[in-house]
Amino acid sequence: MKRRTFLTRTTIATVGLSSFLISGFSSISKSKGNEYDESPFLDFFELEEVTIDILRENLLSGKITSEELVQLYLNRIVTIDKSGPTLNAIIEVNSEALALAKVMDAEIKAGKIRGPLHGIPIVIKDNIDTADKMQTTAGSLAMVGNIASNDAFIVKKLREAGAIIIGKSNLSEWANFRSTQSCSGWSSRGGQTKNPYILDHNPCGSSAGSGVAVAANLCVVAVGTETDGSVVCPASVNGVMGIKPTVGLVSRSGIIPISKTQDTAGPMARTVKDAAILLGVLSGTDVADPITNESKGKSFTDYTQFLDLDALNGKRIGIEKKPQGNNQYINALLENAINVLKKKGATIIEIDYLDKIDALGKAEFEVLEYEFKDGLNHYLSTANAKVKTLKEVIDFNNANEDKAMPYFKQETLESSNLKLGLNEKSYKDALDKSHEGSKKILDSVFSKNQLDAICGITMGPACSIDMIYGDRWGYSLTMPAAASGYPHITVPGGKVYDLPVGLSFFGTAYSEPKLIGIAYAYEQASENRVKPEFKKSFL
């Protein structure tokens, strides 16, 4: 991606905060008693759309320091996230970020380069443990005060690679496993995160803040987590790309859990290359998460080697033959994407699989209920939180209902708490039906049609923020890869109603190299990433 001439150190030192962002709220439009400001938010951030490669080049050449970079992003968070459009993507800023950056700068001067993220500012989701001054709360007031004793495994990997964690991102509380009536991107601790394209629209979740932070240039890259859709949905509706890795490629130890079967962390970025760089840092085996042993010989420390402009040539891509809803604009967007795939040499194969996968939804939810209770109780038993069990979380929320549950309740927490242990036959039956069943369906479709990937619209455009009645999402392509534990990548696919829509590619276990190549080839051929405009209203 081409960038204007990089700013000099002198420029950073002398230009004030107001020069990086100018608010243009001047005219008021009235519509039947509803007043809103329709003038654009004029965004002149010097680092807008910057990539890891550009930052790394300038850090190593001495044109800029990590300390200066961190300060720029911290300023950006103040002016964009906490005022201006007030995106509310960052739940907590790292008070030690500048000090850490100074250490990274000293190492660069000494010729010590830790890795590809040395001195690079990033954001991680607030369900990932950090052994520093930041809390880990999953957005819940019940978890306030939880300062982790140890870094999560992936945080250790990030620090080893030289990344500077400048803050934690807001999320759908308990990773969107609190209520079936929830509004994505809302948490009792962090409030409501907003979509940076149209501010009264939903950022999706549960990795809402991570997706918005990347989209709005509050950081270079971010880490989200997914059980079912929590990386790819916010990536899709916020106009960025996200990778949900194969379960087992990235450790989950030190991450507040939902499901040992489906949970994974994953990269969120503005480009496929940046996401590939971050994935190489995050992946690796961890003795505290035995499933990562399955990734031995199947993971890579450098996924950029699979970036190939011709990766689509000769590939067989499966597309569900049933229409993805009846919206003419979304259908046209998919048709345009298919045309790009064909022009790049891919063969499109019509397949029929989604009805079979969708029929497993009830079993999937039951698996998550069982595993959430088991996993959360285990996490809380050793955490530094004031609540030590799921039951205590429920009791806290009931005792603080006005603050903890002002809009929607906690029926998912309550139904999960009623479940017994993982030795129950009902759990094992649901697991076999959902997890093993979805894998069998997908393996059969891939084998029968000799597919390299399955493609489709990730999600429809963002729904409106609705704190009273909750989310109203349309079509979703998150479950197949989620329930099976298979990898899923979404890249910007275009815009509908001025809102981003993502295009998905998913495959079988540990097919990340192939998917990254396919996604990169599509990204470079389509160039659909458009930075947000911070519009106040859809109307």
Side-chain angles (χ1 to χ4, degrees), residues 51-62:
T51 62
I52 291 173
D53 279 349
I54 291 173
L55 292 182
R56 181 175 171 82
E57 175 187 342
N58 283 271
L59 283 168
L60 296 184
S61 68

Side-chain angles (χ1 to χ4, degrees), residues 466-515:
D466 191 333
M467 308 299 293
I468 308 302
Y469 297 106
D471 294 347
R472 298 181 306 282
W473 295 103
Y475 181 83
S476 168
L477 195 62
T478 68
M479 184 182 168
S484 62
Y486 288 168
H488 183 172
I489 297 181
T490 182
V491 293
K495 291 174 76 177
V496 176
Y497 307 115
D498 283 338
L499 290 162
V501 173
L503 188 73
S504 284
F505 299 97
F506 61 90
T508 53
Y510 299 103
S511 60
E512 281 85 355
K514 183 182 292 185
L515 294 177

Side-chain angles (χ1 to χ4, degrees), residues 297-318:
K298 304 170 188 174
S299 66
F300 299 86
T301 56
D302 179 13
Y303 282 92
T304 64
Q305 63 183 297
F306 303 110
L307 302 174
D308 181 3
L309 290 173
D310 295 319
L312 279 164
N313 190 31
K315 295 296 191 296
R316 293 171 63 86
I317 309 295

Side-chain angles (χ1 to χ4, degrees), residues 125 172 175-177 184-185 202-208 211 224-238 242-245 247 258 262-264 266-268 364 368 458-459 471 473 475-490 504:
K125 191 174 177 181
S172 309
N176 220 11
F177 208 69
S184 289
N202 198 297
C204 200
S206 62
S207 305
T225 66
E226 175 164 330
T227 304
D228 187 337
S230 287
V231 165
V232 295
C233 181
S236 174
V237 306
N238 289 292
I243 302 177
K244 183 204 84 75
V247 174
I258 290 179
Q262 296 182 199
D263 284 355
T264 183
M268 304 180 80
E364 180 198 24
L368 301 188
T458 310
M459 298 285 298
D471 294 347
W473 295 103
Y475 181 83
S476 168
L477 195 62
T478 68
M479 184 182 168
S484 62
Y486 288 168
H488 183 172
I489 297 181
T490 182
S504 284

Side-chain angles (χ1 to χ4, degrees), residues 398-471:
N398 286 329
N400 298 274
E401 186 171 6
D402 288 348
K403 292 182 178 180
M405 301 188 294
Y407 304 111
F408 51 89
K409 304 308 175 186
Q410 57 179 344
E411 65 273 9
T412 303
L413 298 185
E414 292 169 343
S415 65
S416 298
N417 195 54
L418 295 176
K419 298 297 183 183
L420 300 178
L422 301 188
N423 290 322
E424 291 294 303
K425 183 179 184 301
S426 56
Y427 164 71
K428 295 177 181 179
D429 289 346
L431 182 64
D432 183 68
K433 184 175 182 180
S434 172
H435 184 57
E436 297 302 326
S438 61
K439 287 198 293 185
K440 289 176 182 177
I441 292 169
L442 290 180
D443 288 347
S444 174
V445 171
F446 272 89
S447 177
K448 178 181 177 181
N449 296 282
Q450 297 181 310
L451 299 178
D452 294 289
I454 291 176
C455 175
I457 298 296
T458 310
M459 298 285 298
C463 61
S464 299
I465 291 172
D466 191 333
M467 308 299 293
I468 308 302
Y469 297 106
D471 294 347

Side-chain angles (χ1 to χ4, degrees), residues 76-89:
R76 174 76 167 174
I77 290 168
V78 170
T79 57
I80 292 286
D81 196 58
K82 302 308 176 189
S83 58
T86 319
L87 299 174
N88 212 30

